[in-house]
Amino acid sequence: MIEFRQVTKTYPDGTAAVQDFSLTVPSHTTTVLLGSSGCGKTTLLRMVNRMVEPSTGAVLIDDEDVAQAEPVALRRRIGYVMQHSGLLPHRRVIDNIATVPRLNGASRADARARGYELMEVVGLDASLGVRYPGQLSGGQQQRVGVARGLASDPNILLMDEPFGAVDPLVRVELQRELSRVQAELKKTIIFVTHDIDEALTLGDQIVVLKAGGEVAAAGTPAELVQNQQDEFVSRFLGLDSGRRSLTAATADDGGWLISDAQGRPLGLVDSQPEPARSNGVRTSADQTNADQTNPSQHP
Amino acid sequence: MTWILDNLPRIGELTLAHLALSLPAVIIAFVLSIPLAWGANRVRVLREPVLTGTGLLYAVPSLPLFILLPALIGTSVRDPLNVVIALSIFGLALMVRSAAEALDAVTDDVRTSATAIGFSGVGRFFTVELPLAGPALLAGVRVVCVSSISLVSVSAVLGVSSLGSLFTDGFARDIIGSIVAGILMTVVLALICDLLLVLAGRMLMPWQQTRRRRPLLARSREVAA
Ligand SMILES: Nc1ncnc2c1ncn2[C@@H]1O[C@H](COP(=O)(O)OP(=O)(O)O)[C@@H](O)[C@H]1O
Ligand SMILES: [Mg+2]
């Protein structure tokens, strides 16, 4: 369990990046910090591994103040994945992944063996191990980044817009892969993003942030989409503009086509209503969209 | 031509003497430039003064420096040590700015990520920043190496043996062959050393070429995949 206790952060230049932020991140779940650029997400994330020291307040991991932990040792037991992968360009893929076990004192052979294990976990072909990061596609690099984050088998994984720089198709694939890995490994993940769909896909808990790290709303994806109490949140999730008010129409081949209020088609219904099923329509054009829109479908 | 063939052993000897004067200077300049450059980058207000100051050392005329040094450090005028020290100073003058810029060019992304995965400050410098600055450092070292090899010759005027002695002797005794041999060997030596540096760079920094040589086709295929 990670606990932010009334943390604030004012940078030396006077920027008040975070003001009085409190949050409990339950173990073995994914908590998404969702908010626009500059609202303090990275600052909050980096307080956990002491890359940023809170000006006031404290961050606790399993009831222990991280301020008591030695920063380098702390970072070695917490996975960190960032945008643009942050891989070391001068080390082969396998050695990038093996870096953390090596820092933790594993022999080179053990560290590499662990590296190859993890390449399999994140769906990378072992033959890519000898390449340098510059020889991989953006999506592959992010997979390596995730593998490296997992390499020391940390309990906690901090992810800072890890899929922000890859194209949408690859991003969806990476999100699916992360969900699969997380279902198996059950890490405590704090995932930072400004992408609403990504938050709804990955979060067990979503925290919507306003500028200065102010919590606008927090809850499960379904709760956020259903309870439209806060105007900022509604606007952020696109609820007010009708992005998630869905209408169904009969599709050309007899199924149900779901569109948002602007008439933008989102996908086909493949589970209900019952009568449509007998027509044999079982297409799912865009599984992710269908998944995400389910909570808000009106009966 | 016959003069050259008749004097091969002496030319070989002088070549070795030439190397013995210039190589230590290159190494000393490189090793000293790293902490200086690191310090200059750390203390931002001192950066320009330090870089410009050391750079200006290059403007000191070489012959007077060769002559002044003995007075300053108490060596004899013909001591090769004077030459090595003077060349190190010139090398440093060239190298500090290169090194500062090379180290500064390591991206914040890489630095941040190295810190995030648990490198200590020292570990990060030696295993991440220094290697990544490698290509730019190498470019600087190549300039220093060629410059040192050419500058050594001046010291022959003082009677310190090097390929420069082939000029001084050649002029004094009117032997064209000796002068030609001096010029030729200096150039050849500089070329060989430069080539060796490039090869060493390829071996020590293999991640570099892979990126450049990478066929475009393979890249576009991956993006599609
Ligand atoms: N090292 C720093 N020095 C000064 N200001 C900073 C620093 N890092 C971030 N900030 C500022 O703090 C605010 C929050 O930044 P950040 O946590 O990076 O936001 P996010 O990750 O949500 O985009 C921004 O206004 C940013 O400009
Ligand atoms: Mg950020």
Side-chain angles (χ1 to χ4, degrees):
Chain A
M1 185 178 80
I2 306 169
E3 208 182 333
F4 294 83
R5 274 198 196 154
Q6 299 186 307
V7 289
T8 65
K9 178 66 191 182
T10 308
Y11 283 106
D13 67 356
T15 311
V18 173
Q19 286 158 325
D20 194 23
F21 175 89
S22 295
L23 176 72
T24 300
V25 176
S27 297
H28 312 297
T29 62
T30 303
T31 294
V32 174
L33 300 182
L34 173 65
S36 311
S37 184
C39 71
K41 307 182 295 292
T42 299
T43 301
L44 285 169
L45 195 71
R46 289 184 180 169
M47 285 181 185
V48 178
N49 69 354
R50 291 195 69 185
M51 286 174 66
V52 169
E53 301 289 345
S55 306
T56 64
V59 177
L60 293 84
I61 296 177
D62 295 333
D63 297 321
E64 277 183 41
D65 191 339
V66 293
Q68 306 299 320
E70 202 280 307
V72 171
L74 179 72
R75 289 171 201 148
R76 287 181 189 175
R77 62 184 176 88
I78 296 178
Y80 196 95
V81 188
M82 56 193 265
Q83 201 175 359
H84 303 299
S85 75
L87 298 178
L88 305 177
H90 62 303
R91 294 204 171 167
R92 294 178 192 282
V93 164
I94 188 66
D95 292 325
N96 257 287
I97 303 173
T99 301
V100 187
R102 286 287 283 157
L103 287 171
N104 281 325
S107 72
R108 177 170 297 222
D110 287 350
R112 284 197 174 157
R114 172 83 184 135
Y116 279 114
E117 237 171 73
L118 280 160
M119 286 183 74
E120 198 179 327
V121 170
V122 300
L124 280 173
D125 198 90
S127 67
L128 296 177
V130 296
R131 292 214 193 163
Y132 289 99
Q135 298 172 295
L136 301 184
S137 71
Q140 288 169 332
Q141 287 185 27
Q142 289 311 130
R143 282 175 200 259
V144 178
V146 174
R148 186 177 68 174
L150 293 169
S152 63
D153 198 16
N155 292 325
I156 297 171
L157 195 55
L158 306 176
M159 308 185 83
D160 194 351
E161 310 201 23
F163 310 142
V166 295
D167 64 73
L169 269 178
V170 177
R171 187 183 313 175
V172 168
E173 198 181 303
L174 288 169
Q175 290 164 355
R176 213 173 282 160
E177 201 82 1
L178 179 64
S179 299
R180 185 183 58 74
V181 170
Q182 170 65 351
E184 208 173 294
L185 301 180
K186 300 241 183 305
K187 302 291 182 191
T188 305
I189 299 181
I190 303 183
F191 191 106
V192 162
T193 184
H194 59 247
D195 180 329
I196 297 109
D197 290 329
E198 185 162 78
L200 294 174
T201 308
L202 295 173
D204 295 310
Q205 174 185 217
I206 298 175
V207 180
V208 186
L209 297 175
K210 291 189 199 182
E214 189 191 331
V215 177
T220 63
E223 281 165 359
L224 278 188
V225 173
Q226 283 170 53
N227 307 334
Q228 308 178 23
Q229 69 289 74
D230 186 287
E231 193 198 337
F232 176 85
V233 179
S234 301
R235 213 170 49 235
F236 200 82
L237 295 179
L239 295 174
D240 64 340
S241 60
R243 240 188 103 202
R244 291 178 202 282
S245 306
L246 306 180
T247 47
T250 314
D252 293 344
D253 55 5
W256 290 84
L257 174 69
I258 302 295
S259 307
D260 65 12
Q262 288 152 8
R264 186 176 65 145
L266 296 177
L268 295 163
V269 172
D270 61 2
S271 57
Q272 56 171 317
E274 286 300 329
R277 225 178 239 189
S278 54
N279 291 345
V281 180
R282 296 233 12 135
T283 344
S284 108
D286 184 341
Q287 186 64 44
T288 339
N289 257 339
D291 284 349
Q292 286 162 11
T293 48
N294 268 339
S296 62
Q297 266 168 29
H298 303 298
Chain B
M1 219 36 211
T2 39
W3 185 93
I4 295 180
L5 291 177
D6 291 345
N7 289 275
L8 278 181
R10 174 159 162 76
I11 295 175
E13 226 168 81
L14 291 175
T15 307
L16 286 182
H18 201 97
L19 276 176
L21 290 171
S22 46
L23 288 191
V26 175
I27 293 167
I28 291 171
F30 175 74
V31 170
L32 290 184
S33 74
I34 300 294
L36 258 175
W38 179 84
N41 282 344
R42 288 281 290 209
V43 189
R44 233 45 210 192
V45 283
L46 287 183
R47 189 171 192 267
E48 263 318 301
V50 168
L51 298 190
T52 309
T54 44
L56 279 176
L57 287 175
Y58 202 73
V60 176
S62 53
L63 197 53
L65 185 59
F66 288 144
I67 297 168
L68 253 176
L69 268 175
L72 290 176
I73 57 175
T75 44
S76 79
V77 179
R78 302 179 61 168
D79 195 328
L81 196 60
N82 302 326
V83 182
V84 173
I85 291 175
L87 287 177
S88 303
I89 292 174
F90 291 130
L92 198 61
L94 291 174
M95 195 61 212
V96 170
R97 185 173 288 273
S98 302
E101 276 161 12
L103 289 172
D104 224 19
V106 176
T107 64
D108 279 342
D109 257 7
V110 170
R111 249 187 268 262
T112 305
S113 116
T115 305
I117 62 175
F119 277 99
S120 63
V122 179
R124 190 184 75 175
F125 180 78
F126 284 104
T127 49
V128 179
E129 293 175 45
L130 201 54
L132 285 177
L137 286 173
L138 179 66
V141 170
R142 287 175 63 187
V143 173
V144 172
C145 178
V146 170
S147 145
S148 300
I149 288 175
S150 105
L151 274 175
V152 171
S153 305
V154 180
S155 65
V157 176
L158 306 174
V160 181
S161 285
S162 72
L163 286 171
S165 310
L166 291 173
F167 307 130
T168 47
D169 290 1
F171 280 120
R173 291 152 55 194
D174 235 355
I175 311 168
I176 300 291
S178 177
I179 298 173
V180 171
I183 295 174
L184 213 69
M185 279 313 293
T186 311
V187 171
V188 169
L189 199 60
L191 279 177
I192 291 176
C193 288
D194 194 47
L195 190 71
L196 287 177
L197 280 176
V198 172
L199 289 178
R202 290 236 174 112
M203 265 170 52
L204 291 172
M205 301 180 275
W207 71 91
Q208 267 222 302
Q209 299 101 38
T210 50
R211 186 174 293 186
R212 242 180 282 132
R213 269 200 223 130
R214 194 136 179 276
L216 259 178
L217 191 67
R219 221 175 292 184
S220 50
R221 229 185 287 135
E222 256 159 39
V223 171

